[in-house]
Amino acid sequence: RIQLRDMRARPGCNGLASHALDAIAEQGSAGRQVLVFLNRRGFATAMICPSCGWLAVCQRCDARLIYHRHENTLRCHHCGHRRRLPEHCPDCKTTGIRELGQGTERLEDLLQSRFADIEVIRIDRDSTRQTGKLPALLARIDKDKAQILIGTQLLAKGHHFPGVTLVVIVDADQGLHGSDLRAGERMGQMILQVAGRAGREEYPGRVILQSYHPEHPFFTPLLEHDYDTFANQLLSERQQAEFPPFQHQALLRAEAVAEDTAMSTLSLVYDHILQQAADTVELLGPVPAIMAKRGGRYRAQLLFQSPHRRSLHQLLGQLLPWLYQQKELRKIRWSMDVDPIDLM
């Protein structure tokens, strides 16, 4: 059973509605296991100064730094950069930097304080970093006693937990706002995979799906475990928007240390290939990547799109030999991705 809960009417505590907390308490008192799913590591997703609005951002990426309270560090989940949390705001020098958003660490602290008599186990990339830690945690779960399991997608796939009777999906809306055209598809798959952890043996399973957009049409077939209807909805949207699989794509990626180099180099490629492109091949760009700066390098991309795969590949066959001969392209990193999985 999947129950959709409107978080606008149930503000709850640190991302968990009071209804979900009551359900967790009920299953715990019955000696059963609960899986709380949040596909976001760390304690807080942003650190901000309430006085001047300073935000902790990575100097090497266009991304916010994630606060990991157990280490008292700020971390970039894209390039791996880390630094200590400052004692005061670097801009206005005031104290009291505030946490925004929640990750698995914050949920762990909340549930440990709320349910002191129930063991809480967190499984994510941080808690299983040490060799042998994941098998040890899974062995503890297999003891089949009252436990609250907190995890990311690392816990959602490929595991059999016979004692889990309740799954709480904390933030089901992540896939509704993604920049990737496959974000909704991944969201639906993840929801059904996580839901499949509950009620696998003796006791029936229950899933609480928390959302701030419960009226979204994506959720309706998922509540009935009807993935075929969900997939057909996505395909209909992609056909109207002329996205894959109704269009074939190739993505030319470029990155360079200097901010303008990648864009200017792809502009040369665009000017060269525009005259050779058939009417059936569309060139989109060049534009900065969705995350324009990552790991200290600036990134840009040029997208080739066509409803006919043969036309697209004929154009790429003409373009690639020319690319290898250009001295300008030796100054940057570049790659051609045919049928790209994402446009990041």
Side-chain angles (χ1 to χ4, degrees):
R1 261 190 326 135
I2 301 181
Q3 299 173 314
L4 186 61
R5 295 296 176 181
D6 186 351
M7 289 297 289
R8 295 170 299 187
R10 296 175 171 84
C13 178
N14 283 342
L16 278 175
S18 56
H19 175 87
L21 291 169
D22 292 342
I24 292 172
E26 177 186 343
Q27 296 302 309
S29 63
R32 296 168 190 164
Q33 294 174 329
V34 176
L35 170 58
V36 181
F37 176 80
L38 177 61
N39 203 26
R40 197 182 298 123
R41 295 184 290 135
F43 186 85
T45 56
M47 299 296 288
I48 191 171
C49 173
S51 298
C52 71
W54 170 86
L55 192 67
V57 296
C58 179
Q59 301 302 312
R60 293 167 51 81
C61 304
D62 290 332
R64 296 190 301 266
L65 292 174
I66 308 300
Y67 179 46
H68 290 253
R69 195 167 79 170
H70 292 179
E71 301 175 352
N72 196 34
T73 60
L74 296 170
R75 268 201 246 163
C76 177
H77 287 183
H78 299 280
C79 71
H81 171 74
R82 66 176 65 193
R83 69 171 186 256
R84 302 292 292 180
L85 178 70
E87 296 181 359
H88 52 74
C89 173
D91 287 351
C92 68
K93 309 304 179 184
T94 60
T95 57
I97 295 175
R98 185 175 300 169
E99 305 116 349
L100 295 179
Q102 74 272 353
T104 50
E105 284 186 11
R106 194 167 195 163
L107 280 179
E108 181 183 28
D109 283 4
L110 165 68
L111 293 171
Q112 280 181 336
S113 61
R114 185 97 178 202
F115 303 103
D117 56 338
I118 303 176
E119 183 181 20
V120 177
I121 300 176
R122 173 170 59 92
I123 294 185
D124 55 26
R125 198 188 308 174
D126 298 321
S127 66
T128 59
R129 198 176 299 275
Q130 297 178 358
T131 303
K133 196 64 182 291
L134 178 58
L137 290 174
L138 293 177
R140 282 169 57 188
I141 295 173
D142 285 341
K143 292 180 181 178
D144 194 21
K145 59 182 179 180
Q147 292 171 328
I148 300 173
L149 319 178
I150 303 170
T152 58
Q153 61 182 350
L154 189 63
L155 195 62
K157 301 178 182 180
H159 298 294
H160 175 60
F161 303 125
V164 171
T165 53
L166 172 66
V167 168
V168 180
I169 301 177
V170 176
D171 185 3
D173 300 331
Q174 283 181 298
L176 301 180
H177 312 297
S179 55
D180 178 12
L181 72 92
R182 293 175 175 84
E185 176 185 357
R186 289 171 175 153
M187 176 203 71
Q189 291 172 347
M190 184 62 68
I191 287 174
L192 293 184
Q193 285 169 340
V194 176
R197 301 311 104 197
R200 295 172 69 90
E201 289 201 357
E202 181 179 357
Y203 299 103
R206 177 185 173 195
V207 179
I208 297 176
L209 192 67
Q210 298 188 163
S211 172
Y212 288 92
H213 304 278
E215 72 285 348
H216 199 287
F218 276 3
F219 289 126
T220 304
L222 295 177
L223 297 178
E224 302 297 329
H225 298 266
D226 184 2
Y227 190 79
D228 287 346
T229 298
F230 174 73
N232 287 329
Q233 286 180 356
L234 291 174
L235 285 170
S236 177
E237 284 194 358
R238 291 192 193 177
Q239 187 172 25
Q240 294 176 35
E242 297 185 344
F243 283 158
F246 304 98
Q247 292 278 328
H248 304 286
Q249 294 180 337
L251 187 67
L252 179 60
R253 293 186 171 97
E255 59 179 64
V257 175
E259 185 171 0
D260 298 330
T261 303
M263 280 288 292
S264 60
T265 304
L266 289 187
S267 295
L268 292 175
V269 177
Y270 177 89
D271 293 338
H272 169 77
I273 202 65
L274 183 62
Q275 299 177 4
Q276 304 177 40
D279 294 337
T280 55
V281 179
E282 184 178 12
L283 305 183
L284 301 174
V287 295
I290 295 172
M291 183 179 289
K293 186 181 180 184
R294 183 170 180 175
R297 302 179 73 90
Y298 294 90
R299 307 154 71 232
Q301 55 194 32
L302 177 60
L303 183 67
F304 302 81
Q305 182 167 286
S306 173
H308 308 292
R309 183 176 290 276
R310 175 174 292 183
S311 299
L312 176 63
H313 283 214
Q314 284 177 346
L315 181 64
L316 297 182
Q318 298 169 11
L319 176 61
L320 286 172
W322 181 85
L323 291 176
Y324 283 113
Q325 295 172 4
Q326 303 310 300
K327 293 182 179 179
E328 289 293 324
L329 271 76
R330 297 173 189 172
K331 302 176 184 178
I332 66 171
R333 295 177 184 170
W334 66 272
S335 63
M336 181 69 77
D337 188 356
V338 179
D339 296 327
I341 297 298
D342 61 63
L343 303 182
M344 293 292 289

